[in-house]
Structure formats: structure tokens, C-alpha cells
Amino acid sequence: DPTSDAGLYSWTVNGTDVLYQHWYWLRIGSNAPQFSLDTLSEPYGLYHSSTNTTVNYLGQGLSATLAFSLTGGANGSAASSLTENLSIQNTTNTTLSLHVFEYSDYDLSDDPPADTQSFPTTNTVVQQGNGLTLTETIGAPAPNYYEGSWYAITLDKITGGSPVTLSDSLIPNAPGDQTFAHQWDTNLAVGQTVVISLTNTVTCSVTATPVVLSVALSGNNVIISWPTNATAEFQLQSTVTLSAGSSWTIVTSPSVINGNVYQVILPLLPGAQYFRLQK
């Protein structure tokens, strides 16, 4: 929403909406409060496609262009990247003391208070939850300050009525409903432009393990089993021959949980039978 500080408020990756709010605030000088990027002006020159968006603002002596580019991973990979560039030019006839704030609120899990967060470098932040990892990497220029906090500690500072400087800390340093922010301070000469570039990447941080079928005889029955740490969406299928044109059919006998495995008990039949799991 380029007309409010809701900004980028949704990013669906592999069926999960991982984003609540991502946007920019500005401050001119040292004494005035911060203001949302969209309050510079009504957006103009708005362009968007299925993967790219560009929006322009002009006001308060500044010309700003914000551009997003979305890249998806393969289906089911839980991988996606969002690259963005914010360029701001001083259109006045005097040098401006400009402060830029980027604020992000990602909810990776259904239980946001379980998310964790860290700042391994001055230009990197990592948030994890529900088997997903969000990594933000900032290009030039490096931010002057950062802050991570539970919602909405940092947001209340940025949107408050007083000038703020981020604290270079996690508030508190514990799992929770995480948010983070970065701050850039620069003296922008007449006609000069500052360009802030960053990339957010969501990946699956859970290492997949092979699902192995086991076969055992029990009297006149065959017991087919596989571990319960595999998804319950798997269906057991069978065929009597293995070839390029093999016809696989769903095994209709129900599976039951026995300890740490799913089990299907089938009668022992003459001839060969082959089994597989299929989503």
C-alpha cells in the first residue's frame, strides 16, 4: 500500500504469509519527528507487474523512488527473495541532514512469540521461526544504527512525536514477536542522491531427511511401516511390476501409529509386490 505506512504488508512464501509490515520513515534535521515515506506526496509514476513495483514521491524538498523486485524459488522449496532500492534526492538549494529508517515486522510462524532474531553483522539480520529463516542483507551504504525488539517497541519509537536514534541492541534479547529496524544518517548536498539497497530472503531451515519404507513378515501378513516424523500427507501405493509404464494404486488399508512409525498390515499374496510413498 504506497499510500500509508502499512507499506509492504503481505509476502506469501510457499503458502505462508510471512510479513506483517515493512516500510520507511524519514527525518529532516535533528529536532523534528520522523514521518512516513508516503506522506511526502501522493504516489506518482506507479508501475507494477507480477514481479516488480516502482513508486515515486516528491515533497518536502525530496524526490524519492522505491522499487521492489520479487524472485521465487521452485515450487515447494519455501524459498523467495525480495530485493529493494530506495533512492532519495535533495531537490532544495541547501544541504539537508537526512535520517532514513527501515522498519520490518515478519511473522514466520503461527506462534510469533516463538521467533528468534540476531544481528550477525552490521548489515545483516536473521530471524527464524517455524522452520523458516528470514535473512536481510543490506548493501551500500551500511546503516549507522540497528535495533531489534518485540512488537511494537521500536515501531512506537519511530512513529512517536520525538526524534529517535536506534539503540544497537535487542529489546529484549529473547524469543518473541520479533521486529527490527535500521537507521541511516547522511548530509545530503544540493542535488545529491542517496541509494539504499537491501535483499530479504526466506528459506526453509529444516533439513529434509529421507523417508524409508520398512517391510516385515508377521505370520500370513506383511507389515509396511515408515517413520511418523514424515508428513501424514503421504499415501502408500503399490504395484506388481516395476517398469516405465507401471500402474501404481493407492493402498486402501488404513495406516495406524505404533510407537514412532506408521504401519499398514496387508495379507501376504503370491508373486512380487512393490510399495512406495507418494504425496
Side-chain angles (χ1 to χ4, degrees):
D1 179 5
T3 65
S4 80
D5 64 12
L8 184 66
Y9 62 85
S10 179
W11 180 12
T12 300
V13 182
N14 205 44
T16 300
D17 191 349
V18 299
L19 181 59
Y20 181 74
Q21 184 182 15
H22 172 71
W23 199 234
Y24 292 88
W25 279 258
L26 310 176
R27 185 175 79 239
I28 299 175
S30 301
N31 300 318
Q34 296 71 229
F35 57 90
S36 179
L37 175 65
D38 60 280
T39 62
L40 283 177
S41 70
E42 289 293 319
Y44 71 93
L46 180 63
Y47 165 81
H48 65 88
S49 67
S50 60
T51 58
N52 293 273
T53 291
T54 303
V55 59
N56 300 281
Y57 302 93
L58 180 63
Q60 299 193 42
L62 298 173
S63 176
T65 301
L66 178 60
F68 294 97
S69 180
L70 179 67
T71 304
N75 286 338
S77 67
S80 184
S81 293
L82 187 66
T83 301
E84 57 196 87
N85 288 276
L86 173 63
S87 64
I88 304 174
Q89 183 183 28
N90 177 4
T91 61
T92 72
N93 58 5
T94 185
T95 298
L96 294 179
S97 175
L98 180 66
H99 309 267
V100 182
F101 297 82
E102 172 237 349
Y103 171 81
S104 299
D105 181 354
Y106 288 92
D107 294 332
L108 302 183
S109 59
D110 294 332
D111 181 23
D115 285 5
T116 61
Q117 188 167 257
S118 63
F119 291 82
T121 67
T122 56
N123 66 337
T124 306
V125 56
V126 177
Q127 184 173 330
Q128 292 182 307
N130 196 34
L132 296 176
T133 296
L134 178 282
T135 303
E136 179 174 290
T137 304
I138 300 170
N144 298 92
Y145 302 97
Y146 73 88
E147 184 169 298
S149 73
W150 292 353
Y151 180 83
I153 297 170
T154 302
L155 179 63
D156 288 345
K157 291 181 181 179
I158 294 174
T159 59
S162 302
V164 65
T165 298
L166 301 182
S167 65
D168 283 348
S169 64
L170 290 165
I171 312 171
N173 188 2
D177 188 357
Q178 306 288 357
T179 70
F180 61 86
H182 292 97
Q183 176 181 345
W184 292 263
D185 298 335
T186 183
N187 290 317
L188 208 57
V190 176
Q192 185 180 2
T193 299
V194 61
V195 179
I196 295 170
S197 61
L198 54 92
T199 299
N200 288 286
T201 302
V202 174
T203 57
C204 182
S205 54
V206 175
T207 303
T209 55
V211 179
V212 179
L213 282 177
S214 298
V215 181
L217 286 174
S218 178
N220 293 323
N221 295 317
V222 175
I223 301 176
I224 310 294
S225 60
W226 64 96
T228 53
N229 60 5
T231 175
E233 296 175 357
F234 278 127
Q235 288 182 322
L236 184 64
Q237 299 180 348
S238 67
T239 186
V240 295
T241 182
L242 286 181
S243 65
S246 293
S247 177
W248 292 88
T249 59
I250 296 174
V251 176
T252 57
S253 299
S255 62
V256 296
I257 295 178
N258 184 3
N260 61 353
V261 295
Y262 294 106
Q263 286 187 339
V264 175
I265 300 177
L266 302 171
L268 182 61
L269 299 176
Q273 277 193 297
Y274 303 90
F275 297 90
R276 74 178 185 185
L277 290 173
Q278 181 78 19
K279 283 189 178 181

